[in-house]
Amino acid sequence: MSTTATGTLTDHLAEFQSAYDELKARGLKLDLTRGKPSADQLALSDALLTLPGDGEYTDAAGADLRNYGGPNGLPELRAIYSELLQIPVPQLLALGNSSLTLMHDVLTFAMLHGVPGSARPWVREETVSFLCPVPGYDRHFAITEALGVRMIPVPMNEDGPDIAAVKAAIAVDPTVKGIWCVPVYSNPTGAVYSESVARELASLEAADDFRIMWDNAYAVHHLTDWRPEPIDILSLAAEAGHPDRVFVFASTSKVTYPGSGVAFFGSSPDNVRWYSKWAAFQSIGPDKLNQLRHVRLLETAEGVLAHMEKHRALVAPKFAAVQEVFERRLAPFGVGSWGDPKGGYFVTLTVSPGVAKRAIALAAEAGVAITPAGSTHPYLDDPEDAVIRIAPTFPTIEDLTAGLEAFCTALLLAEAERSALPPVE
Ligand code: PMP
């Protein structure tokens, strides 16, 4: 049972219950569920609506971008992201609007055809398993589940997945073919991988066709002046003797427009050839005019970073509001522990085991939608029922603060209810 300066949580049960009843009577309707940019963030890129402009439809080499072709994407845009992602231009493709589509395609191609180094298509294996650092990103887990890949949770630390757990899982299970990774400002904890963890992953003793799904979705999404050490994962893998081990993904979804951005795929020359071979059956080239307007808007790698500073100015106060509300409402009762990420889109709140679902249900009854408990785990199953993902970017700061206040009221009640239960024998 938690103790506070003024007694146990149970002592506050009646007070928390009446605060919650009052909250419910207010009939709020607030949504803190998905990590989407707010309308004012989207407006930062509204020049895209008129770019590239009348009569503008050729690239630097004079190619007509209105037509089919150019399956690797616009060289000028690949050059900008080559610098940001540390991937040589020939190994970096600029494609459609969604990196999730690319992740899904790559794993689908692996299932149907195998990857370089595979003995057979993955679908011909009895079982294919992936390591899933938890807490992690629900849509990653949804892709693997949809394709019939078995998921094995491994703990996520502040500097990346727990390497001892990763090694142990691979050692006992030859069906492991890959791992999901969000190396910078991980979804949802904000963890940033250290180079030593990246090096360990690159040099793991694993299946010949083991793949690291390196989803660098938040590479440039900083909220402070601190900059993570860039990790050149493709070189680390090549140096470790596993040049084909890594698939890198990224996109401009949270740089420009999530619905109309550009996604990138980067990998070894062999993997890029492999991807291009199978992708050629589904497309005669990406939307290069969209890529051209991105080049005109962002101009250079420095241009991307300058653009991200404008996002930071809008987003950082919202992350500060999360810290302020939790500190003021939860800390005095010793309830919860939460991260203070230096970038990305989420804050992870850990509550007492068995409380997350109840707190989210109470919040929902009071009109505040929070990402469902369990979403941070494979099969939507958080065995501890303790992890809650907060997504602060989309609402206005007023709605965010009101939603967080209401959520804290619901959480305090859920925690007090639990502490009032008889102890488990
Ligand atoms: N990867 C991660 C880790 C994300 O958090 C998100 C968005 N929530 C995506 C990918 C989605 O990327 P895209 O819009 O490029 O499909």
Side-chain angles (χ1 to χ4, degrees):
M1 196 180 286
S2 309
T3 52
T4 71
T6 52
T8 66
L9 267 180
T10 316
D11 298 336
H12 294 274
L13 184 55
E15 170 200 332
F16 291 160
Q17 181 69 59
S18 71
Y20 177 73
D21 293 341
E22 265 171 48
L23 170 73
K24 241 171 109 171
R26 284 171 50 203
L28 293 178
K29 208 164 170 22
L30 297 167
D31 188 340
L32 308 186
T33 54
R34 295 246 50 117
K36 296 197 290 193
S38 60
D40 51 357
Q41 285 180 268
L42 297 176
L44 297 173
S45 301
D46 277 349
L48 288 177
L49 297 173
T50 48
L51 285 169
D54 248 5
E56 293 288 324
Y57 50 78
T58 54
D59 70 7
D64 187 336
L65 304 177
R66 297 171 302 179
N67 220 325
Y68 280 140
N72 297 340
L74 206 60
E76 295 91 309
L77 186 61
R78 293 161 68 204
I80 295 173
Y81 266 77
S82 156
E83 217 176 309
L84 296 169
L85 299 171
Q86 289 101 36
I87 298 176
V89 175
Q91 288 167 242
L92 181 67
L93 310 181
L95 298 162
N97 80 309
S98 160
S99 61
L100 274 175
T101 304
L102 303 181
M103 296 174 221
H104 183 273
D105 281 352
V106 158
L107 289 183
T108 304
F109 297 160
M111 291 304 269
L112 292 176
H113 314 294
V115 297
S118 293
R120 58 190 73 82
W122 286 6
V123 77
R124 297 239 184 278
E125 303 284 351
E126 187 106 349
T127 308
V128 173
S129 308
F130 255 58
L131 303 181
C132 299
V134 291
Y137 178 34
D138 53 351
R139 291 187 190 273
H140 285 165
F141 303 156
I143 292 175
T144 21
E145 185 172 5
L147 295 177
V149 173
R150 185 171 144 252
M151 293 182 278
I152 303 171
V154 290
M156 182 73 180
N157 295 331
E158 280 187 10
D159 59 352
D162 189 295
I163 290 294
V166 167
K167 286 183 177 168
I170 294 177
V172 299
D173 190 344
T175 71
V176 174
K177 294 275 191 209
I179 183 168
W180 286 110
C181 294
V182 181
V184 179
Y185 308 131
S186 184
N187 178 351
T189 67
V192 175
Y193 285 37
S194 65
E195 180 161 304
S196 78
V197 165
R199 202 178 284 279
E200 293 268 15
L201 290 169
S203 49
L204 284 172
E205 292 288 332
D208 288 342
D209 54 352
F210 180 85
R211 287 296 182 275
I212 298 173
M213 300 288 279
W214 191 260
D215 178 3
N216 212 347
Y218 299 110
V220 294
H221 302 59
H222 312 295
L223 291 170
T224 73
D225 288 338
W226 178 72
R227 294 292 170 268
E229 272 306 306
I231 296 177
D232 178 357
I233 188 70
L234 294 180
S235 295
L236 291 182
E239 280 161 25
H242 305 296
D244 297 334
R245 174 164 285 187
V246 187
F247 293 140
V248 180
F249 305 90
S251 76
T252 67
S253 287
K254 286 158 185 177
V255 176
T256 58
Y257 292 162
S260 307
V262 180
F264 300 90
F265 173 71
S267 200
S268 66
D270 272 357
N271 282 340
V272 169
R273 268 191 293 279
W274 167 85
Y275 170 82
S276 300
K277 172 180 164 186
W278 297 115
F281 291 104
Q282 70 175 189
S283 167
I284 322 175
D287 179 350
K288 298 172 298 298
L289 281 178
N290 188 36
Q291 299 188 2
L292 178 63
R293 54 189 192 144
H294 275 78
V295 171
R296 294 286 153 82
L297 175 78
L298 301 167
E299 294 182 330
T300 57
E302 292 69 42
V304 174
L305 299 177
H307 191 77
M308 293 313 295
E309 284 299 302
K310 298 181 199 162
H311 281 284
R312 173 181 164 185
L314 297 171
V315 172
K318 295 182 179 177
F319 276 73
V322 176
Q323 299 298 316
E324 190 279 320
V325 174
F326 284 176
E327 198 56 48
R328 177 166 46 75
R329 297 289 311 280
L330 304 180
F333 299 100
V335 163
S337 60
W338 53 92
D340 187 5
K342 294 185 161 64
Y345 260 60
F346 304 100
V347 178
T348 296
L349 170 68
T350 307
V351 298
S352 300
V355 165
K357 277 202 182 101
R358 173 72 178 149
I360 289 170
L362 284 170
E365 271 178 53
V368 178
I370 302 283
T371 309
S375 325
T376 52
H377 286 62
Y379 309 108
L380 304 176
D381 179 22
D382 171 6
E384 292 267 280
D385 186 26
V387 177
I388 296 173
R389 185 182 89 165
I390 304 291
T393 56
F394 185 69
T396 62
I397 198 147
E398 292 76 21
D399 282 356
L400 171 68
T401 308
L404 290 169
E405 293 277 4
F407 174 65
C408 288
T409 300
L411 173 59
L412 288 172
L413 176 58
E415 289 273 3
E417 282 175 350
R418 181 183 166 279
S419 80
L421 292 175
V424 180
E425 291 302 323

